[in-house]
Amino acid sequence: MAYRRTPAVQARLDAQREAVLQAAAGLLAERGYGGCSMAAVADRARIATGSLYQHFANKAELSVELFRRVVNREIAAVNEAVARREDPQERIAAVVETFAARALRAPRLAYALLVEPADAVVDAERLVFRRAFRDVIAAQITAAVAVGRLPRQDPDLTAAALVGAVAEALAGPLAAAHTPVSGDAPPEVVPALVSFTLRALGGRDDSDA
């Protein structure tokens, strides 16, 4: 007869797994993927390293689960910002503004999510991450075109180009901001990215007035 975990045992394991993911998220924000060794995560979670392997077979598996958790939080924050705006162009600007501002407030974490060297499985998840943001922007481009606020264009292509451009533009400031010798990223980065986005879409940027 196969062993079945009791509800109490399953609850304990679920709580331990949650503690592991929270510990890993903290280390990722502080040290990046390089600091998220299985031993370091186990130590932060206050469990034996062997117990950690009951939940994740290796660092790559843990990293994927961690990446998905953190990314879902970022996407939720962007969707909340979009929901607070009515105009489609403002919603697109809200995506870029929210994403960039949150990235610059937590540069070590954002650097890990976007560009830090990691396992191939994490690189694959990064593509999913970018597509999720692309889809949010593409939906708003479609809406803006439909009401005549933007010229006709391929929403998916434009959105993908914007996501790539914003990520590339942030790479330098993020790399600099999370090093011990640097200061904060220049404050004009976020508004400059918003302005670039509106110009790239073919819409009107209020700074032109």
Side-chain angles (χ1 to χ4, degrees):
M1 179 181 296
Y3 169 74
R4 292 186 178 181
R5 293 170 178 166
T6 65
V9 169
Q10 187 60 54
R12 180 180 62 79
L13 289 173
D14 290 345
Q16 189 176 76
R17 190 174 191 277
E18 177 62 24
V20 165
L21 287 168
Q22 289 186 9
L27 286 171
L28 184 67
E30 295 170 13
R31 310 177 191 174
Y33 286 111
C36 288
S37 68
M38 297 293 272
V41 172
D43 182 65
R44 175 68 66 92
R46 298 183 179 180
I47 64 172
T49 303
S51 297
L52 179 55
Y53 285 97
Q54 292 181 328
H55 302 284
F56 299 98
N58 48 48
K59 181 181 176 180
E61 186 176 301
L62 171 60
S63 295
V64 166
E65 182 68 21
L66 174 61
F67 187 92
R68 290 174 180 172
R69 167 172 288 215
V70 176
V71 162
N72 285 338
R73 186 177 66 200
E74 296 305 306
I75 292 174
V78 164
N79 282 328
E80 288 175 7
V82 168
R84 292 193 293 268
R85 312 288 178 90
E86 294 185 2
D87 181 80
Q89 280 183 272
E90 291 182 357
R91 288 181 169 185
I92 297 167
V95 174
V96 173
E97 182 179 34
T98 302
F99 174 70
R102 287 175 64 86
L104 293 171
R105 283 199 299 268
R108 191 64 188 89
L109 177 61
Y111 183 79
L113 293 179
L114 292 173
V115 295
E116 182 181 1
D119 292 320
V121 290
V122 173
D123 285 335
E125 290 297 319
R126 282 177 175 147
L127 292 178
V128 177
F129 178 35
R130 289 190 176 214
R131 287 171 188 148
F133 277 101
R134 177 204 65 188
D135 291 346
V136 173
I137 295 174
Q140 300 309 320
I141 293 174
T142 299
V145 170
V147 297
R149 296 278 295 171
L150 290 176
R152 293 183 62 84
Q153 56 195 285
D154 182 328
D156 287 339
L157 179 61
T158 302
L162 285 173
V163 170
V166 170
E168 180 64 24
L170 286 173
L174 291 177
H178 82 257
T179 57
V181 296
S182 67
D184 294 334
E188 66 273 10
V189 169
V190 175
L193 283 174
V194 171
S195 179
F196 163 78
T197 297
L198 294 175
R199 293 171 190 270
L201 289 168
R204 182 177 181 277
D205 176 12
D206 287 340
S207 66
D208 292 336

